[in-house]
Amino acid sequence: MAANPVPSSERRLWTFHGGIHIADEKALSNASEIAVAPIPKQLVIPLQQHIGASARVLVAVGDRVLKGQCIAAADGYVSAPVHASSSGTVVAIEERPVPHPSGLSALCAVIETDGEDAWAELPEPMTHYAQLDPAEVRERIRWAGVVGMGGASFPTGVKLNPGPDRRIDTLVINGAECEPYITCDDRLMRERASRILEGVRIMRHLLGGPEVLIGIEDNKPEAIAAMRFALGESDLRAGAEVVAIPTLYPSGGEKQLIRILTGKEVPSHGIPAQIGIVCQNVGTAHAVAEAVLDGRPLIARVVTVTGRAITAPRNLEARIGTPAADLIACCDGYREQPRKLVCGGPMMGFELGEQGVPVTKPVNCLLALTAAEAPDPGPALACIRCGRCADACPANLLPQQLYWFARAKDFDHAQDYNLFDCIECGCCAQVCPSHIPLVQYYRYAKTEVWAREQEKRKAEEARQRHEAKQARLERQERERQARMRQKKEALAAKAKAESGTSSEAKQAAIAAARARAAAKQQGAGEPTDGA
C-alpha cells in the first residue's frame, strides 16, 4: 500500500514543453445534467472499436439479440468483444461508414431495435473481487469490452496487466479533459464521482496497490470538488489524491499529464508502464466499475453534443451504435446549418462526411461548428521558418522538419525525427501563421509508414512461406532419392543373390554332366563277359 499522499496544496507540479492557451468553450454544454438518449430505431455497431484485431462476428442476419449480448468476440489478446446495446433483430452485417479520420467504411452489425430494451442474462457481480484471482477480474473487464474511453481505445484488460516484471508505483487517472468544447468527463465526475472511484479502487487492486493521482484541470472546480468529496467518503483516501492542474492544452495527453503530476518522462516509443505508471481515463474507471460490480458490458457512453450550430448543447448518455443524427435531434437539431460536423474536439477531432455514422466507444463529442467558429483559413502559404510550431509542440519535436520530410515523402527521415511521438494535438497548426495543415501531413506520413511496414510484413511472410515450401520440396526430393537408392540397392542385392544361386546351380549341373560323361567313357572301355 502506498504511503499517504502529500496534500494538494503542497504537491509539486511540473510543466511540459510547449502547449497553448485557447478558449475552452465548455460553458456551452456543461450546465445541464447528463440526459439519457432514447433508443434509436436502428443501431449500427462497428466490429472494431478498439486498437488491435477486429472482433469476430457471432451473429447472423435474422438473429434476435438482447441488450448486453455479445455479438462479436475478441479475436486475439489485443482485441475487445462487442455487445448489442439494445434488443432487436440483426438486419444486416455489412460495410458502413464509421467515425474515423480516413472516412472509410468498416464491417458493422445493423440491429433493428424492438423498443423493449430487454437484457440478456448477465454474469454475477464480483462484489468480492478483492478475494478473487486478479486474472479472473481482468477477464471480466475483457469480457465487458472495456477500452480506453479517452480516445486511444486500447483494451483495458491488457493495460491492467503490465506483467510480473513491471512494478507499478503510480496509477494516474485522467480527468483533465483539456480539449475545448468537450465536457462529458466533467459532467461524469460531477454526477458519478463515487462510481468512478469504485472503478479506480478495482484498477488499483489489480495493479498491486499503487499511489493514485487524479489529475483535473482547474477550469473544472465543480468536478474537482465532487471528486474530492467522494474521495473523502471512500477508503481510497489513504492512498489517493485529487490534484488540480493548470489549464493548458494539451495537459490531458497521457505523457503530458504524467509529466505534470510526477515529473517523469515516458521514453520515446515507450509506454508509461516502463517507468512504473499506468494512466486511465475517468470514463474507463466508470466502465470498469460497471463491468465488475454489476456485470454490465460497455454498451453506452456519455457524449458531448455541442457547438454554436446546435440548438441545445448538452451531454447525452448514448448507446453504442446510435447514429450521430439521432443525438443531434435529441438536442433540438441545428440552430443554423453548420460549416462542418466534427467527431471529437476542434483540435484533435476530424470532420464527419455524414450524420449517419454511429457513436463508438472512443467517441466523446459531436461538434457542430458555425462558419464563425471555424472560418476558412484560406490556402496554405509558404513556411516562413518562424519556429512557432516548435515552441508550441508539447512532445518537444521539430514540426517544421517533420512537415518537410512528410511533404517530400522522406518517411525514413521523418521517423528519425520521432514522427510517432507526435500526439496529433494540433498545437503546431493552431499557431502556424502560414495556415499549413501540419497535422494532416503527419497523419499522412504515419499512414504511409504503417502501409509500408505492412507491405514489408506481407513480403516477409511471403518470403518465409516460399522458403518453407522450397525446404519442404527439397526434403521431399531427398526422401524420394533416398527411397530410390534403397530400392536400387535392394534390387541389386536380390539380383546378386539370384545370380549367385544360378551360378552354383550351373556349376553343379556342369559337374554332374562331367561325371556322367566320365562314367560313360569308363563304361565303354571295359570288356564284356562274352568277349
Side-chain angles (χ1 to χ4, degrees):
M1 183 67 69
N4 289 346
V6 178
S8 181
S9 59
E10 300 178 18
R11 174 171 290 278
R12 178 185 175 186
L13 298 179
W14 284 260
T15 59
F16 57 88
H17 179 272
I20 58 176
H21 290 280
I22 45 180
D24 62 35
E25 302 289 358
K26 294 180 183 290
L28 286 173
S29 60
N30 68 1
S32 58
E33 294 183 355
I34 298 169
V36 178
I39 305 170
K41 293 181 179 179
Q42 194 174 79
L43 292 163
V44 180
I45 304 180
L47 301 185
Q48 183 162 10
Q49 304 179 43
H50 52 270
I51 289 177
S54 179
R56 174 172 43 85
V57 65
L58 300 177
V59 295
V61 174
D63 288 354
R64 184 172 188 270
V65 296
L66 298 174
K67 183 179 181 180
Q69 177 181 334
C70 184
I71 60 173
D75 195 13
Y77 181 62
V78 183
S79 185
V82 178
H83 301 76
S85 52
S86 189
S87 58
T89 303
V90 179
V91 296
I93 299 175
E94 61 188 16
E95 298 279 326
R96 289 286 187 96
V98 295
H100 193 271
S102 67
L104 299 177
S105 299
L107 190 65
C108 301
V110 183
I111 300 173
E112 199 77 38
T113 58
D114 56 17
E116 297 178 11
D117 212 28
W119 277 96
E121 184 176 354
L122 299 178
E124 289 294 322
M126 291 180 167
T127 52
H128 301 294
Y129 62 86
Q131 283 75 51
L132 299 175
D133 186 336
E136 188 176 349
V137 182
R138 280 193 292 267
E139 182 57 33
R140 168 62 63 84
I141 295 170
R142 174 181 169 84
W143 165 86
V146 180
V147 300
M149 305 285 279
S153 64
F154 192 85
T156 303
V158 178
K159 201 170 183 179
L160 292 175
N161 187 24
D165 58 332
R166 285 179 177 166
R167 176 182 171 182
I168 302 303
D169 301 311
T170 306
L171 171 60
V172 171
I173 303 300
N174 191 342
E177 197 170 51
C178 60
E179 182 100 6
Y181 288 93
I182 307 175
T183 59
C184 54
D185 286 350
D186 183 6
R187 289 306 317 187
L188 192 68
M189 289 186 286
R190 292 196 210 182
E191 300 179 34
R192 304 177 190 177
S194 297
R195 196 60 161 178
I196 292 171
L197 291 180
E198 288 173 345
V200 173
R201 188 171 181 265
I202 294 167
M203 293 192 290
R204 184 192 195 193
H205 167 70
L206 294 177
L207 294 171
E211 176 189 30
V212 177
L213 299 177
I214 304 170
I216 308 173
E217 279 193 334
D218 56 14
N219 64 348
K220 305 173 186 63
E222 296 88 349
I224 294 171
M227 291 295 288
R228 284 180 174 165
F229 178 81
L231 185 60
E233 299 293 313
S234 168
D235 59 1
L236 272 173
R237 59 185 178 275
E241 180 183 357
V242 176
V243 183
I245 64 174
T247 299
L248 178 68
Y249 180 81
S251 62
E254 183 177 69
K255 293 182 179 181
Q256 287 70 39
L257 183 60
I258 288 171
R259 168 67 183 170
I260 292 169
L261 294 176
T262 69
K264 296 181 179 180
E265 295 278 359
V266 179
S268 178
H269 305 294
I271 60 174
Q274 292 175 278
I275 58 172
I277 298 173
V278 167
C279 185
Q280 298 281 10
N281 178 263
V282 291
T284 308
H286 185 274
V288 165
E290 295 280 296
V292 175
L293 301 180
D294 294 336
R296 294 184 180 181
L298 178 54
I299 58 173
R301 67 154 300 144
V302 180
V303 180
T304 303
V305 184
T306 187
R308 286 185 169 77
I310 298 291
T311 302
R314 67 186 67 172
N315 286 283
L316 297 169
E317 185 170 8
R319 289 166 174 79
I320 302 300
T322 302
D326 288 46
L327 298 186
I328 293 169
C330 289
C331 298
D332 300 334
Y334 292 130
R335 183 194 307 274
E336 62 178 271
Q337 190 62 31
R339 183 178 181 274
K340 60 181 178 179
L341 178 62
V342 175
C343 179
M347 300 297 291
M348 298 183 71
F350 52 89
E351 188 171 358
L352 294 175
E354 59 174 276
Q355 297 182 32
V357 297
V359 168
T360 57
K361 296 174 186 179
V363 172
N364 56 3
C365 181
L366 294 173
L367 178 59
L369 296 171
T370 63
E373 290 175 295
D376 185 357
L381 305 176
C383 173
I384 61 174
R385 302 178 184 270
C386 63
R388 293 182 189 178
C389 54
D391 293 338
C393 179
N396 208 10
L397 303 176
L398 295 174
Q400 176 188 343
Q401 294 301 117
L402 289 173
Y403 161 65
W404 288 117
F405 292 138
R407 183 175 177 179
K409 300 183 180 181
D410 187 352
F411 304 124
D412 289 332
H413 275 98
Q415 288 181 273
D416 291 341
Y417 278 74
N418 298 317
L419 169 68
F420 284 93
D421 281 351
C422 171
I423 62 174
E424 302 178 18
C425 64
C427 287
C428 54
Q430 182 73 15
V431 301
C432 178
S434 297
H435 306 298
I436 301 172
L438 295 167
V439 176
Q440 293 184 27
Y441 282 96
Y442 309 150
R443 284 176 176 166
Y444 160 72
K446 289 180 181 180
T447 302
E448 290 299 311
V449 171
W450 285 326
R452 187 173 61 177
E453 291 299 320
Q454 187 174 12
E455 288 300 319
K456 284 183 180 179
R457 284 194 297 270
K458 289 180 179 179
E460 177 64 19
E461 291 170 359
R463 183 187 65 79
Q464 292 175 357
R465 288 195 301 269
H466 175 72
E467 290 179 352
K469 180 180 178 181
Q470 290 298 112
R472 185 182 74 253
L473 293 174
E474 290 174 2
R475 185 183 68 253
Q476 290 173 346
E477 179 63 19
R478 288 194 301 270
E479 292 172 353
R480 187 184 69 81
Q481 291 178 358
R483 288 194 300 270
M484 290 181 65
R485 282 194 303 270
Q486 291 174 357
K487 187 174 181 180
K488 287 180 179 179
E489 290 171 358
L491 290 171
K494 181 179 179 181
K496 184 177 180 181
E498 290 176 351
S499 175
T501 302
S502 176
S503 178
E504 291 174 0
K506 186 176 180 181
Q507 293 298 325
I510 292 172
R514 287 176 177 175
R516 287 194 300 272
K520 186 175 180 180
Q521 288 177 359
Q522 184 178 4
E526 293 180 353
T528 63
D529 290 341

